[in-house]
């Protein structure tokens, strides 16, 4: 295993280029199997999750090539419709293959994803939506087995106890493109990654209306063609670097982004008393030596993203005053709290709320990464802390951040990747 060794406090400067969005790329890669020929995708982030989905597709018989952020997928050889436990257990996102497999081949066998460190992650909405489209689904030895002769359009309410679901919307939307007749998804997720998926499917010939709103209408078509497509920039990676800039009191330019996707973050930074320079495709941090505490509630888009909650918490550990962070998407997603406290933060938990009392300084310490975004929060803490911070188990970070330490080094951050000594 590997770790990051970070020497803080860091002073950053320069420009960082943001990669393509992992969470847009995953459902788009899965949907590409609906095409008749070879799909070419540009701006693919070279991160572990993308390699995992590519391994699953290869296992199923597809031909996949990834080179310099371009991915080619030829699904013509697919002859297996199973996603085994070894793959699904490392990446829940692989669930977004379920809809495409059922739409194209009428069958799919998927290992049940189970829980993860950010709390229980049910898939009832995926199953409900696909059943409404005419899929028979049974649970067999830890696998969900789905079968259908031909999908049939329907009216589907996809809201759950925590609001809309991103990947359930992706699954049902993708499957409905090849269903007979019209499908209406109510309480659809509005995330930019869903809009990107819809734009990709439309380029393939799908008839989709209303993406980006809670009501999406799909008129099923018989066939989809393979296309070339460029993935949108990663708003979560962008938000992480913007917070790296502010927490280190540094002026940096975060480039190749769609600032419009980050309005909830910009709003909270301004509420904290900071200035944010917003350009057409960049955000420049305008640092200050002090910032105010702010309350955060995570919500589905356009609310504050749960995927930036941990990084925002790291930033608020150094604010003036007390911030309350309420997690409404994954109420148990607080595993980073104990680790941030090891760096000298003062955070207490009360159910799905974290109370962050601002401290004057953070101090370097040994901490352990637990999930993708929590790990990024620890890097933020380490950059701001005085002394050496070691973040172990960074394989979590490699799932979703492309060349994280290289990009930080280019900004002047003192961060190294080292082998972890065996205990
Ligand atoms: C996606 C993102 C993840 C992000 C999350 C929320 C990908 C690959 N992952 O995950 O990074 O944190 O959106 O923005 O895009 N739920 C149910 N039943 C279901 C499905 C979900 O109750 O069938 C609940 C979840 O437990 C959670 C909430 O709905 O409380 C939102 O989850 P969801 O939007 O589905 O997350 P993912 O799509 O898995």
């Amino acid at each position: 295993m590997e770790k990051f060794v970070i020497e803080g406090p860091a002073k950053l400067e320069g420009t960082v280029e943001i990669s393509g969005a992992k969470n847009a790329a995953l459902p788009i890669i899965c949907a590409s199997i609906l095409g008749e020929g070879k799909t070419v995708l540009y701006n693919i982030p070279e991160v572990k999750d993308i390699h995992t989905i590519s391994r699953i597709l290869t296992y199923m018989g597809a031909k996949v090539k990834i080179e310099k952020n371009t991915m080619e997928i030829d699904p013509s050889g697919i002859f297996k419709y199973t996603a085994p436990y070894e793959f699904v257990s490392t990446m829940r996102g692989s669930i977004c293959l379920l809809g495409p497999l059922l739409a194209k081949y009428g069958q799919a066998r998927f290992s049940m994803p189970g829980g993860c460190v950010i709390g229980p992650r049910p898939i009832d909405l995926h199953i409900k939506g696909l059943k409404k489209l005419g899929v028979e689904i049974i649970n067999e030895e830890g696998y969900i087995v789905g079968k259908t002769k031909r999908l049939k359009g329907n009216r589907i309410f996809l809201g759950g106890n925590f609001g809309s679901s991103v990947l359930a919307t992706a699954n049902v939307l993708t499957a409905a493109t090849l269903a007979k007749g019209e499908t209406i998804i109510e309480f659809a997720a509005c995330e930019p990654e869903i809009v990107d998926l819809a734009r990709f499917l439309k380029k393939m010939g799908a008839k989709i209306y209303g993406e980006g709103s809670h009501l999406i209408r799909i008129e099923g078509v018989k066939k989809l063609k393979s296309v070339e497509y460029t993935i949108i920039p990663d708003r979560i990676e962008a938000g992480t670097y913007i917070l790296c800039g502010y927490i280190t009191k540094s002026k940096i330019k975060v480039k190749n982004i769609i600032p419009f996707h980050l309005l909830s973050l910009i709003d909270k930074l301004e509420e904290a008393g900071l200035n944010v320079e917003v350009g057409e495709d960049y955000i420049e941090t305008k640092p200050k030596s002090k910032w105010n505490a702010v309350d955060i509630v995570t919500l589905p888009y356009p609310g504050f993203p749960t995927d930036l909650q941990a990084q925002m918490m790291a930033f608020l550990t150094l604010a003036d005053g007390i911030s309350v962070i309420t997690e409404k998407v994954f109420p148990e997603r607080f595993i980073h709290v104990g680790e941030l406290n090891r760096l000298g933060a003062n955070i207490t938990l009360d159910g799905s709320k974290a109370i962050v009392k601002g401290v004057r300084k953070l101090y370097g310490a040994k901490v352990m990464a637990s999930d993708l975004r929590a790990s990024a929060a620890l890097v933020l803490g380490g950059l701001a802390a005085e002394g050496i911070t070691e973040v172990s188990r960074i394989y979590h970070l490699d799932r979703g951040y492309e060349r994280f330490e290289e990009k930080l080094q280019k900004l002047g951050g003192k961060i190294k990747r080292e082998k972890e000594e065996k205990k």
Side-chain angles (χ1 to χ4, degrees):
M1 274 195 276
E2 292 176 320
K3 64 181 175 185
F4 278 156
V5 180
I6 305 164
E7 197 183 320
K11 196 78 190 160
L12 307 178
E13 64 172 328
T15 299
V16 57
E17 298 271 346
I18 296 306
S19 303
K22 164 184 90 73
N23 287 354
L26 284 175
I28 289 177
I29 291 166
C30 295
S32 75
I33 69 167
L34 298 186
E36 297 294 319
K38 188 170 78 180
T39 296
V40 184
L41 300 173
Y42 303 106
N43 206 25
I44 289 283
E46 288 209 31
V47 296
K48 207 159 140 230
D49 276 5
I50 297 294
H51 289 288
T52 305
I53 202 77
S54 123
R55 279 172 62 213
I56 301 179
L57 286 169
T58 308
Y59 167 86
M60 288 175 175
K63 279 204 192 89
V64 185
K65 204 169 103 189
I66 310 177
E67 214 177 279
K68 290 195 180 132
N69 302 102
T70 298
M71 184 170 190
E72 291 180 6
I73 306 142
D74 177 358
S76 55
I78 290 185
F79 68 105
K80 280 191 263 189
Y81 315 106
T82 298
Y85 178 75
E86 306 86 88
F87 297 120
V88 178
S89 60
T90 61
M91 190 186 71
R92 269 193 104 270
S94 52
I95 189 78
C96 52
L97 253 178
L98 191 57
L101 281 175
L102 287 163
K104 177 88 178 269
Y105 306 103
Q107 52 179 311
R109 195 166 171 274
F110 240 82
S111 170
M112 288 283 277
C116 65
V117 289
I118 71 175
R121 296 185 75 174
I123 52 163
D124 54 308
L125 295 171
H126 298 250
I127 291 175
K128 172 182 164 181
L130 293 168
K131 275 188 172 169
K132 287 260 184 191
L133 290 177
V135 181
E136 266 176 52
I137 296 186
I138 55 164
N139 193 336
E140 199 179 80
E141 296 165 355
Y143 278 78
I144 319 158
V145 181
K147 280 201 178 91
T148 181
K149 286 221 165 65
R150 165 127 201 236
L151 298 174
K152 205 162 165 291
N154 205 341
R155 206 177 171 103
I156 305 166
F157 183 84
L158 260 193
N161 291 344
F162 300 96
S164 51
S165 160
V166 180
L167 292 182
T169 303
N171 258 329
V172 176
L173 167 65
T174 308
T177 58
L178 287 182
K180 187 165 185 285
E182 182 186 80
T183 297
I184 291 180
I185 307 176
E186 287 180 49
F187 218 148
C190 308
E191 269 66 4
E193 292 76 17
I194 292 294
V195 176
D196 208 35
L197 169 65
R199 285 184 53 206
F200 169 70
L201 288 165
K202 281 180 153 153
K203 199 167 178 197
M204 293 175 89
K207 293 193 171 158
I208 301 169
Y209 311 90
E211 68 274 16
S213 78
H214 277 311
L215 199 134
I216 305 181
R217 190 167 69 81
I218 305 119
E219 282 169 24
V221 295
K222 286 220 170 80
K223 267 188 174 182
L224 293 173
K225 61 177 189 291
S226 297
V227 295
E228 297 193 2
Y229 190 77
T230 303
I231 307 291
I232 51 166
D234 194 316
R235 64 192 167 104
I236 305 301
E237 189 198 16
T240 303
Y241 282 103
I242 291 167
L243 288 167
C244 282
Y246 282 111
I247 199 172
T248 57
K249 302 168 189 167
S250 306
K251 183 171 158 215
I252 61 167
K253 195 172 196 172
V254 180
K255 219 177 130 38
N256 186 25
I257 64 169
I258 303 175
F260 176 65
H261 291 165
L262 285 156
L263 292 186
S264 59
L265 174 66
I266 296 169
D267 182 63
K268 284 294 164 186
L269 291 170
E270 287 176 348
E271 193 183 323
L274 294 159
N275 294 319
V276 185
E277 184 181 318
V278 182
E280 205 170 310
D281 70 342
Y282 73 88
I283 286 180
E284 190 165 288
T285 57
K286 299 277 165 203
K288 276 192 180 167
S289 54
K290 281 185 167 262
W291 51 92
N292 302 323
V294 287
D295 293 340
I296 303 285
V297 180
T298 66
L299 288 169
Y301 189 84
F304 194 92
T306 175
D307 284 354
L308 280 178
Q309 180 254 106
Q311 302 89 311
M312 189 68 179
M313 185 183 291
F315 167 73
L316 290 174
T317 60
L318 291 169
D320 252 359
I322 300 175
S323 309
V324 179
I325 300 181
T326 309
E327 179 51 73
K328 289 226 172 169
V329 181
F330 293 109
E332 294 174 28
R333 189 176 202 172
F334 283 124
I335 202 136
H336 41 283
V337 165
E339 300 302 294
L340 285 172
N341 282 345
R342 289 174 64 78
L343 296 176
N346 182 350
I347 311 166
T348 47
L349 273 181
D350 180 10
S352 61
K353 287 186 195 305
I355 293 108
V356 187
K357 290 190 183 138
V359 294
R360 237 169 40 81
K361 274 186 181 174
L362 296 177
Y363 299 93
K366 287 189 179 178
V367 289
M368 192 190 284
S370 54
D371 78 59
L372 170 56
R373 307 302 171 186
S375 322
L378 299 180
V379 172
L380 252 85
L383 288 171
E386 259 178 32
I388 304 288
T389 296
E390 286 188 14
V391 184
S392 62
R393 301 198 175 180
I394 51 166
Y395 59 87
H396 291 290
L397 261 168
D398 294 333
R399 282 189 40 216
Y401 287 92
E402 189 175 43
R403 297 179 286 108
F404 199 21
E405 76 275 27
E406 266 179 54
K407 289 189 185 185
L408 282 172
Q409 283 161 358
K410 218 176 137 218
L411 290 171
K414 291 185 182 150
I415 174 167
K416 286 183 298 190
R417 181 183 287 261
E418 288 183 4
K419 284 252 169 304
E420 277 188 56
E421 32 323 312
K422 285 210 174 84
K423 300 215 172 79

